[in-house]
Amino acid sequence: MPELPETETMARDLHREIAGRTIERVAVHRPDVLREVDAKELARRTRGVTILRAWRRAKLVVLDLSSADRIVVQPRFTGALLLDHGALAESERRFSTLEFALGDGLTLHYRDIRRLGTVTLMAPVRWADYESALGMEPLDPSFCDSYLPALLRGSSQAVKKFLMDQRRVAGIGNIYANEALWGARIDPSRTARTLQPDETRALHAALQNVLAEAVSARGTSFRDYRDPTGERGGFAAHLAVYGRGGESCSRCGARLVETHAIDGRSTVLCAWCQR
């Protein structure tokens, strides 16, 4: 967390509010979130620079700058990019790790309670190298139903672990891997290459459906995820399995099983529906 739907929500909101604005001042309160740049260099390379675009890649929020540098934010567990027009709650402000003053009283904070997320400033060559290691976007038109089977055929991983590998498919984490596999009626522990053509088609459709629905709901909030205005995402009410271990499957009524056998992460499934 946050995954594709949450970072997509962040990026869209930020683009509407900050694209075209100039960074007037930079204040770093917790430099341990910085990567590949220190506080002094971050300020030097971003002060007076215009933000051209905010967008998402995988689970990252990317700010394109007029200098050709990019600010790359990986929120991980408790990170959030919050817009502050002067009324940000003190409960949020005290976890601000850095802030960009953008004029007209608007400040962009990177808030991170556990400080496990990162903020990196990347030059074009560095970004190109970094981005090339990421897999295809599952909501991109080029992610057609013939693309996924080709990837799955070469993998001996559990299909759930495969889906969460950012080098294979970008942006999917534990929440949406659980949900998509339930939607496709596939056991998360199945070896990826054992999936049959009808199963890969079902998984492709389930992935795209659950991600699109979660984006429309502005993501999933359990504890810490907030959009840039500080609001919670609304998709938690629509989750079929994640966070529901021990409850009844909404499809068949069987008891949902929760296990940590796959890569140590919480996996929730219906042993009756998912094969």
Side-chain angles (χ1 to χ4, degrees):
M1 269 287 284
E3 302 178 26
L4 185 156
E6 293 75 39
T7 47
E8 180 69 22
T9 299
M10 291 183 193
R12 291 181 182 184
D13 287 3
L14 291 174
H15 184 76
R16 283 193 296 268
E17 291 289 332
I18 68 176
R21 288 182 177 267
T22 297
I23 298 172
E24 297 183 350
R25 180 179 58 83
V26 182
V28 177
H29 309 301
R30 298 287 188 174
D32 55 351
V33 302
L34 298 179
R35 297 293 184 273
E36 303 182 26
V37 66
D38 61 21
K40 187 175 294 186
E41 184 181 3
L42 178 68
R44 178 181 64 79
R45 287 171 58 184
T46 60
R47 195 165 44 229
V49 170
T50 300
I51 300 170
L52 301 179
R53 180 170 71 128
W55 58 292
R56 179 197 58 79
R57 178 72 168 103
K59 301 179 191 178
L60 310 168
V61 178
V62 184
L63 306 182
D64 289 355
L65 305 179
S66 59
S67 63
D69 283 337
R70 285 185 168 97
I71 298 171
V72 181
V73 180
Q74 186 170 26
R76 288 206 172 99
F77 295 98
T78 61
L81 287 157
L82 300 176
L83 294 164
D84 179 13
H85 292 274
L88 187 67
E90 178 56 32
S91 59
E92 300 284 6
R93 187 183 297 276
R94 66 193 175 100
F95 293 110
S96 175
T97 66
L98 60 88
E99 58 186 80
F100 298 98
L102 303 176
D104 297 325
L106 178 62
T107 301
L108 175 63
H109 292 265
Y110 175 59
R111 179 273 274 155
D112 196 337
I113 297 167
R114 295 172 63 188
R115 301 204 304 281
L116 297 174
T118 60
V119 178
T120 309
L121 186 65
M122 297 188 186
V125 172
R126 170 65 179 126
W127 167 254
D129 180 63
Y130 184 91
E131 195 269 344
S132 67
L134 297 172
M136 185 173 284
E137 292 287 338
L139 293 181
D140 192 280
S142 58
F143 188 78
C144 57
D145 60 6
S146 63
Y147 179 82
L148 186 58
L151 289 178
L152 290 165
R153 276 196 299 270
S155 178
S156 59
Q157 291 181 315
V159 63
K160 183 192 169 200
K161 187 175 180 180
F162 171 92
L163 291 176
M164 295 170 60
D165 184 344
Q166 301 304 294
R167 299 166 299 176
R168 306 282 193 167
V169 183
I172 300 170
N174 202 32
I175 294 174
Y176 301 106
N178 274 284
E179 293 297 304
L181 288 163
W182 179 86
R185 297 175 179 257
I186 295 170
D187 185 330
S189 67
R190 284 266 304 274
T191 301
R193 66 187 178 201
T194 68
L195 268 62
Q196 300 302 304
D198 60 331
E199 292 175 314
T200 59
R201 286 192 294 271
L203 180 56
H204 177 270
L207 274 174
Q208 294 199 319
N209 288 341
V210 73
L211 291 171
E213 290 171 8
V215 169
S216 295
R218 300 179 60 78
T220 301
S221 290
F222 283 105
R223 291 180 295 275
D224 300 302
Y225 165 67
R226 298 292 185 274
D227 70 22
T229 65
E231 297 297 317
R232 297 170 61 86
F235 194 67
H238 305 283
L239 293 171
V241 287
Y242 186 83
R244 296 190 57 226
E247 299 179 24
S248 298
C249 173
S250 61
R251 189 162 51 207
C252 73
R255 185 169 179 260
L256 296 173
V257 176
E258 183 170 8
T259 175
H260 290 78
I262 303 173
D263 208 29
R265 307 291 299 276
S266 173
T267 298
V268 184
L269 71 150
C270 176
W272 184 261
C273 287
Q274 294 172 254
R275 301 292 183 177

